[in-house]
């Protein structure tokens, strides 16, 4: 009997797989913190014989090269991928023996990248699962615009053809096991569900239910901004990532924290947004360790900028380091743990700002207060409905565009509160007066605010359309 174990990397919306038989296993698209894979193989009592990549990843740093070095496994990478390290090149139709009676067949599925390759797992000649990487996802496909803008339409058409090839060559009961699509910005659209088969995708996947022209037009129209750090992932992966160092960073005292802030470095407070709003060191930014830390911090921070982390505990700091190495932020310049009072120089005071809900925003407007409403959701989310007279700057653009925020007290909201907390901290660090709206967007209309745009009907406190909802839009989860 074969097995397939799934290893989630929830913060990035990705999955890796360990599959094998009684003695030997293969790893598909491993994360950079490879000890998780090693532990999973040890728990199964199997040796890792092969490590395979479906493509050179654009959204995270792979652990494939290091895992192959540690285990002695053969490292298989698509032959057309341009890499600068020794590997076993894989071409369409190649077959790899995983264990007795268990094999992989390489199947070229270009689209997400030009060289993308899926791997079909067969037991005693019967195909049972397909590791589809960024090709066929649950209800959608991987986005085709991460390689080169001039190739996007061509890759979108290749993606459509690849999905049809998978559907044509594989039986309905074959499990589809993608790497992306669980909140990853590598997905071209929002995905629903947790598991699927080729048969289910035949009837529910846009790539398999729409003709090529319709599919391509709709996909290209729905693509949104690419996280800025993606530009650095493929070069890191093609060059061969070095091993990670997860030892604690150098400890920083209050004086060093102040000096780093004065030098224009980034000092990030990992505590939850409630604690940060209650009291924090002036000039620090709030990226919750429990949120999508790697995605949003790596997206917003200028690449290579020295980073100091402030955490409530050593455990929170260690978890953050693990998240960040997955996207190439390898070594924080310094760190401190404990309470914010211990990060503050004598004579300095903690800053704070209010957290509230949409009902409080409605009351403030009724009182005639000097209110600026800042919506930091993505374009697709705002298209579904927005608070009338609100200013729109997506959170990933706010650091560069904060000068566009009008004077007054800035009430910041997103879809659920996490991104509003990031944005509020960015503005607070500039000395702006802010209020973080820590509320689901669907509460805006219920509070009596006028929600307009999209399917909304412009009437406060009524139904009529999504009103922005709490939906995710394309390519990633709302928060």
């Amino acid at each position: 009997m074969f097995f397939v174990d799934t290893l989630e990397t929830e913060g990035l919306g990705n999955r890796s797989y360990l599959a094998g038989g009684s003695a030997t296993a293969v790893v598909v698209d491993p994360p950079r913190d490879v000890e998780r894979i090693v532990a999973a193989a040890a728990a199964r009592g199997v040796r890792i014989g092969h490590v395979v990549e479906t493509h050179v990843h654009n959204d995270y740093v792979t652990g494939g090269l290091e895992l192959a070095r540690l285990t002695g496994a053969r490292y298989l990478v698509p032959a057309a991928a341009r890499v600068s390290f020794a590997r076993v090149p894989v071409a369409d139709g190649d077959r790899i023996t995983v264990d007795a009676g268990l094999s992989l067949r390489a199947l070229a599925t270009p689209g997400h990248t030009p060289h993308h390759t899926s791997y079909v797992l067969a037991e005693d000649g019967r195909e049972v699962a397909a590791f589809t990487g960024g090709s066929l996802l649950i209800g959608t496909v991987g986005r085709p615009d991460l390689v080169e803008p001039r190739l996007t339409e061509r890759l979108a058409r290749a993606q459509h053809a690849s999905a049809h090839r998978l559907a044509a060559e594989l039986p309905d009961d074959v499990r589809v096991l993608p790497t992306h699509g669980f909140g990853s910005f590598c997905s071209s659209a929002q995905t629903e569900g947790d598991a699927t088969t080729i048969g289910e995708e035949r009837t529910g996947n846009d790539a398999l239910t729409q003709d090529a022209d319709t599919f391509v037009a709709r996909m290209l129209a729905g693509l949104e901004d690419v996280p800025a750090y993606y530009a650095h992932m493929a070069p890191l992966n093609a060059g061969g990532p070095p091993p990670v160092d997860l030892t604690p960073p150098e400890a920083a005292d209050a004086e060093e924290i102040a000096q780093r802030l004065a030098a224009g470095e980034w000092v990030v407070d990992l505590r939850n947004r409630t604690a940060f709003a209650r009291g924090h060191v002036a000039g620090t930014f709030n990226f919750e360790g429990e949120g999508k830390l790697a995605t949003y911090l790596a997206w917003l921070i200028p690449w290579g900028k020295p980073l100091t982390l402030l955490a409530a505990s050593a455990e929170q700091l260690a978890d953050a380091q693990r998240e960040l190495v997955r996207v190439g932020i390898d070594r924080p310049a310094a760190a401190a743990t404990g309470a914010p009072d211990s990060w503050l120089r004598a004579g300095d005071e903690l800053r704070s700002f209010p957290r509230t809900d949409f009902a409080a925003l409605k009351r403030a407007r009724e009182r005639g207060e000097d209110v600026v409403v800042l919506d930091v959701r993505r374009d697709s989310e705002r298209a579904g409905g927005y608070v009338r007279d609100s200013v729109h700057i997506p959170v990933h653009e706010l650091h560069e565009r904060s000068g566009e925020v009008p004077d007054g007290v800035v009430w910041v909201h997103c879809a659920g509160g996490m991104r509003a907390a990031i944005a509020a901290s960015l503005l607070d660090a500039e000395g702006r007066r802010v209020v973080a709206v820590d509320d689901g967007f669907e509460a805006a209309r219920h509070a009596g605010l006028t929600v307009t745009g999209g399917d909304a009907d412009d009437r406060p406190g009524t139904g009529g359309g999504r009103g922005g909802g709490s939906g995710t839009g394309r390519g990633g989860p709302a928060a």
Side-chain angles (χ1 to χ4, degrees), residues 188-201:
S188 65
Q190 178 182 342
T191 61
E192 301 288 347
D194 193 56
T196 191
T197 64
I198 288 291
E200 291 170 349
E201 292 308 301

Side-chain angles (χ1 to χ4, degrees), residues 366-383:
E366 289 174 340
R367 291 191 297 267
E369 294 182 12
D370 184 16
V371 168
V372 176
V373 180
L374 176 62
D375 180 350
V376 297
R377 296 174 301 158
R378 294 188 300 278
D379 292 344
S380 65
E381 296 171 281
R382 186 170 172 88

